[in-house]
Amino acid sequence: MSQGHQYEREDGESSAAAVQHFHTHSIPLDMEDIERDWDKPITEAGIAAKASVIVRVGLLDLSAGTGSFRVREMMHRIAYPLGVHVRADVNLTDIEAACTDGKDRITEVIDLPSTGVNTERIWLLEHFADWFSVNLGEDSMYHSRPEVSKGLMQHLDTKDASQVSAELAKQLREEEKHDKGAGAGAEDGSDAKPGQDAVLDALEAASRHADPGDPRAHQLHVHETDWSQSAMTQSLAARAAVEREEEAEAAQSGSEPEAYRISGDARPDIGDADTVAGDPAPAQSGASPQSISDHVRHRPAPRSGFLPSEADARKHSHKPPKGQYAEHFDHVGKERVSGRPGITVRQAHQRLDMIERRKPLYSPAFAGLASAIACASFVFLLGGGPYDMIGAFVGAGLGHWLRRVLFKRHLNQFFVTFVCVAVAALACTGTLRLIGLFDPVALQHDTAYIGAMLFVIPGFPLITGGLDMAKIDFPSGVQRVTYVLCIILMATLAGWMVATIVHLNPQGFEPLGLNPWVNMLLRAVFAFLGVWGFSVMFNSPQRMCLTAAVIGMITDTLRLEIVDMGVPAEAGAFIGAFLAGILATVWRSSVRKGWLPPHLGYPRICLTVPSIVIMVPGMYMYRAMWYLGSFETLSALDWAFRAFMVIICLPIGLAMARVITDKSWRYDI
């Protein structure tokens, strides 16, 4: 599930592909029990095809770095309109899910080769879930305007999906204003023209932002509003025609249609069922297939007791599948028909393909620049001066650029972490030594290289691990925290080795002696820049980056100011994280209530984690490793416990905010 181009060997075969040949991380989609339902409406497909979509959504969400509680929520959101029950065990890199639709049950076990963070994917999967639910007749859950989700799912080939959503939201606002004006004109007796289709207009406008030379995937040419040619509508239209033929025959013979005799239900009022807003249904005799198809789209769902008649069965004879999976899917094609509009299995997987194959929003060079800005800002917030910030800027920028390049080769994460931290520390030290040729004061800044290492802080798994534990999901939480400890161990070990080789002695940063008001203003500026940089590193769209940066600017500045007033660092971390969670919830609620544009409805996890990752005590953790390497055990334990107390307060603060604002977190049910 990793992204980017693979490193090509001289013989033309990629190294990663050569290794991947011997590993299978998920059940392939070309299995017979999935392929046979590929072009069926997903509501009429077998349990294997339904589970393939449900579990794949969970896999993509897990690969984006989110916690197990959110992966389960997303899988249940996809399963609900399909009538499927899911029981899933979600860990750091694997999912074991058992799915049942009341007739059959299937268990899938999938795993990821590695883990990472991609906030754009988390955001797009939310829109996929709403698009999926609305097209299956359910309400949207995550966003108040499903038109935005629909537009995004139609233009996943565009590089900047955030721009698509912004264009669509703008068109929706213009249409609402136009409709209000048209309504007022109608009251005045004026001849106002109806507004344009906002969805199509916005998609047409957004398509101009696509970069033909850098496609994300093949563009989809599917419009869910036109179901006249879909497999589901054709099936419903044919069945409606047969139903009317039976009614005509029954009227002549004076008996009830066979379908109602079989079901034992009272005969429904056909006239009421086929009339929408006073518009009569097509005539039972002489109606064209197209008119029937158009009308079927507006019919309510059939009664739950409806069963197909013998004539219907003859027209759509059930052909049992062939092969070793046939005996498990004999019911496919015999279940009740749903009158709701829907999508096929192919259409669902096409969208998921495009979400999975999207390239990173930012190049390695730009991501390195964002890392440099974030770590230099981090150094100032820790108390560093201009020379410390310059050293961290160079070291972190080079280190993260190298990390992105190496990750394209699909190299081991721990190996890449060790190498990139060592390069960052050496680059920072070398920069300060070079400056020292002109100003010897720069040679005294031995602590700056710690700031150059902070780009490897695994903030997402650290926070999501704590949140998983808050939801009593200890297997996933323990795995994530263990992963965090391994990354921190490799990073601090590499930094300690570099410091030992070049004879560095970090003792902290010297006080800057700034005016308190100037210091607070600078803290706000660099907190904003730091959170923006980390958001870019997490592959957030720019609007999401700026939103998280505003939240981080408020919360981190407040945290530092109250710590200066004498509040313990642990309490300051809790207050900062708690406030970040509240602000993210307020932002999302404001979007849902229409106070903010609908395209700004970002997942809370994508706003809170970047805003508080800058609060992680990287300095404490490194000093603990430094003293441990120097065999000063008491000092190592002192700094380790200080770091531990601050770290655990961050997810606790976020969890408390969720408990207060979210009923699903408030109660254990």
Side-chain angles (χ1 to χ4, degrees):
M1 300 302 169
S2 54
Q3 300 177 352
H5 298 291
Q6 296 176 342
Y7 174 67
E8 300 294 331
R9 299 188 310 183
E10 293 182 358
D11 58 0
E13 181 182 9
S14 68
S15 303
V19 176
Q20 190 179 14
H21 176 72
F22 301 98
H23 298 274
T24 301
H25 300 289
S26 61
I27 297 175
L29 295 177
D30 58 356
M31 301 289 285
E32 180 183 344
D33 49 1
I34 298 176
E35 277 194 327
R36 62 184 302 276
D37 294 334
W38 198 243
D39 290 310
K40 281 188 177 182
I42 193 169
T43 53
E44 297 182 4
I47 185 63
K50 293 178 180 177
S52 69
V53 175
I54 296 169
V55 178
R56 189 178 183 193
V57 169
L59 178 68
L60 292 177
D61 217 20
L62 184 65
S63 69
T66 190
S68 64
F69 71 94
R70 186 177 176 83
V71 173
R72 288 195 187 92
E73 175 188 307
M74 187 67 66
M75 294 173 67
H76 284 295
R77 187 58 184 167
I78 300 299
Y80 177 76
L82 298 177
V84 175
H85 299 277
V86 182
R87 170 64 175 87
D89 288 329
V90 183
N91 295 311
L92 178 64
T93 58
D94 63 90
I95 301 175
E96 181 178 353
C99 304
T100 177
D101 60 355
K103 304 184 188 74
D104 288 278
R105 149 185 334 169
I106 189 171
T107 300
E108 288 198 29
V109 180
I110 56 178
D111 64 276
L112 294 166
S114 184
T115 185
V117 179
N118 189 338
T119 51
E120 186 205 33
R121 179 177 292 180
I122 298 174
W123 172 60
L124 288 176
L125 285 172
E126 271 198 358
H127 283 286
F128 174 87
D130 277 350
W131 168 82
F132 188 85
S133 297
V134 170
N135 276 279
L136 294 184
E138 302 293 338
D139 294 331
S140 60
M141 175 179 179
Y142 297 107
H143 304 93
S144 59
R145 300 300 300 265
E147 298 94 336
V148 177
S149 301
K150 181 178 184 178
L152 284 175
M153 292 304 104
Q154 285 297 106
H155 270 259
L156 288 170
D157 61 317
T158 307
K159 181 177 182 179
D160 188 1
S162 177
Q163 181 64 31
V164 173
S165 63
E167 292 286 344
L168 181 54
K170 180 180 178 181
Q171 292 291 333
L172 290 173
R173 290 195 301 270
E174 292 178 354
E175 184 191 46
E176 290 175 353
K177 293 179 180 179
H178 187 279
D179 290 343
K180 290 180 180 178
E187 293 177 358
D188 296 338
S190 60
D191 188 14
K193 295 182 180 180
Q196 299 290 329
D197 188 339
V199 174
L200 297 180
D201 291 345
L203 293 181
E204 181 179 356
S207 64
R208 294 196 296 266
H209 296 274
D211 182 3
D214 187 22
R216 307 273 71 78
H218 296 294
Q219 183 174 349
L220 295 176
H221 298 284
V222 181
H223 297 277
E224 291 79 15
T225 54
D226 183 10
W227 294 103
S228 60
Q229 302 300 322
S230 68
M232 173 177 279
T233 301
Q234 290 175 2
S235 175
L236 290 173
R239 296 187 184 205
V242 173
E243 178 185 340
R244 293 190 176 94
E245 291 176 2
E246 292 177 3
E247 292 170 2
E249 295 175 359
Q252 294 176 359
S253 62
S255 60
E256 288 188 336
E258 184 177 359
Y260 307 123
R261 295 202 308 270
I262 294 175
S263 65
D265 289 345
R267 180 174 177 173
D269 190 343
I270 301 299
D272 292 342
D274 289 342
T275 303
V276 179
D279 185 18
Q284 293 183 9
S285 60
S288 65
Q290 182 62 40
S291 64
I292 295 175
S293 176
D294 292 339
H295 184 74
V296 164
R297 287 179 292 182
H298 304 288
R299 295 188 60 193
R303 295 176 58 88
S304 59
F306 177 79
L307 292 175
S309 64
E310 291 182 359
D312 193 10
R314 287 194 300 269
K315 289 181 70 67
H316 301 277
S317 59
H318 172 65
K319 298 180 180 180
K322 300 179 181 180
Q324 55 182 325
Y325 302 102
E327 59 184 354
H328 301 293
F329 300 94
D330 186 61
H331 68 279
V332 175
K334 295 182 178 179
E335 60 264 34
R336 296 191 299 263
V337 181
S338 172
R340 298 175 297 181
I343 55 178
T344 64
V345 178
R346 179 191 298 274
Q347 289 171 339
H349 279 294
Q350 280 179 335
R351 266 70 173 190
L352 295 176
D353 283 342
M354 299 179 77
I355 293 175
E356 180 181 354
R357 295 170 184 170
R358 285 181 64 84
K359 297 177 182 177
L361 293 174
Y362 310 105
S363 65
F366 188 84
L369 175 62
S371 174
I373 294 174
C375 291
S377 302
F378 209 153
V379 167
F380 177 83
L381 298 176
L382 292 174
Y387 285 148
D388 301 303
M389 296 174 65
I390 293 174
F393 182 92
V394 175
L398 182 60
H400 187 64
W401 170 82
L402 180 62
R403 184 167 70 156
R404 281 284 303 271
V405 171
L406 294 180
F407 276 159
K408 284 186 177 181
R409 276 72 172 172
H410 306 280
L411 297 177
N412 180 271
Q413 277 200 45
F414 300 113
F415 168 77
V416 172
T417 299
F418 187 92
V419 171
C420 293
V421 167
V423 170
L426 288 173
C428 176
T429 303
T431 299
L432 292 176
R433 297 289 171 87
L434 182 62
I435 296 175
L437 297 177
F438 305 95
D439 187 357
V441 176
L443 300 176
Q444 301 175 8
H445 292 263
D446 284 351
T447 312
Y449 76 98
I450 300 177
M453 301 162 40
L454 299 179
F455 66 91
V456 299
I457 290 179
F460 243 87
L462 175 63
I463 303 304
T464 55
L467 293 177
D468 284 344
M469 290 184 180
K471 294 289 286 184
I472 320 298
D473 189 350
F474 290 104
S476 176
V478 170
Q479 287 187 25
R480 291 178 182 277
V481 172
T482 303
Y483 167 77
V484 169
L485 292 177
C486 290
I487 292 292
I488 292 174
L489 177 63
M490 296 301 295
T492 54
L493 183 61
W496 172 77
M497 291 181 64
V498 170
T500 302
I501 293 172
V502 299
H503 304 291
L504 297 177
N505 185 24
Q507 295 296 327
F509 299 109
E510 295 293 332
L512 298 177
L514 297 174
N515 179 277
W517 292 101
V518 174
N519 190 40
M520 183 178 67
L521 179 61
L522 291 176
R523 280 175 171 175
V525 171
F526 286 113
F528 180 91
L529 293 175
V531 175
W532 175 86
F534 279 111
S535 297
V536 170
M537 293 166 61
F538 295 152
N539 199 49
S540 299
Q542 279 301 310
R543 292 177 178 84
M544 189 187 298
C545 293
L546 297 176
T547 304
V550 171
I551 295 175
M553 176 184 66
I554 297 172
T555 57
D556 199 56
T557 303
L558 175 65
R559 174 186 71 93
L560 293 173
E561 290 297 317
I562 63 176
V563 169
D564 287 347
M565 296 177 184
V567 175
E570 299 81 10
F574 173 85
I575 294 172
F578 177 81
L579 181 59
I582 295 295
L583 291 177
T585 301
V586 170
W587 179 275
R588 191 173 175 91
S589 298
S590 299
V591 174
R592 289 191 63 87
K593 293 179 180 179
W595 300 340
L596 292 173
H599 66 282
L600 298 179
Y602 302 121
R604 275 174 291 205
I605 195 71
C606 299
L607 300 179
T608 54
V609 174
S611 64
I612 69 172
V613 71
I614 205 167
M615 303 180 188
V616 175
M619 181 74 71
Y620 290 3
M621 293 184 291
Y622 178 78
R623 295 191 75 169
M625 175 57 70
W626 168 266
Y627 285 118
L628 184 62
S630 303
F631 298 102
E632 297 182 29
T633 309
L634 293 179
S635 297
L637 290 175
D638 177 59
W639 286 103
F641 278 109
R642 290 188 187 187
F644 173 76
M645 290 300 297
V646 173
I647 287 174
I648 64 172
C649 286
L650 294 176
I652 290 176
L654 283 185
M656 288 298 179
R658 290 296 295 269
V659 168
I660 292 174
T661 59
D662 191 339
K663 291 182 180 179
S664 64
W665 282 68
R666 195 176 308 158
Y667 304 103
D668 289 331
I669 55 175

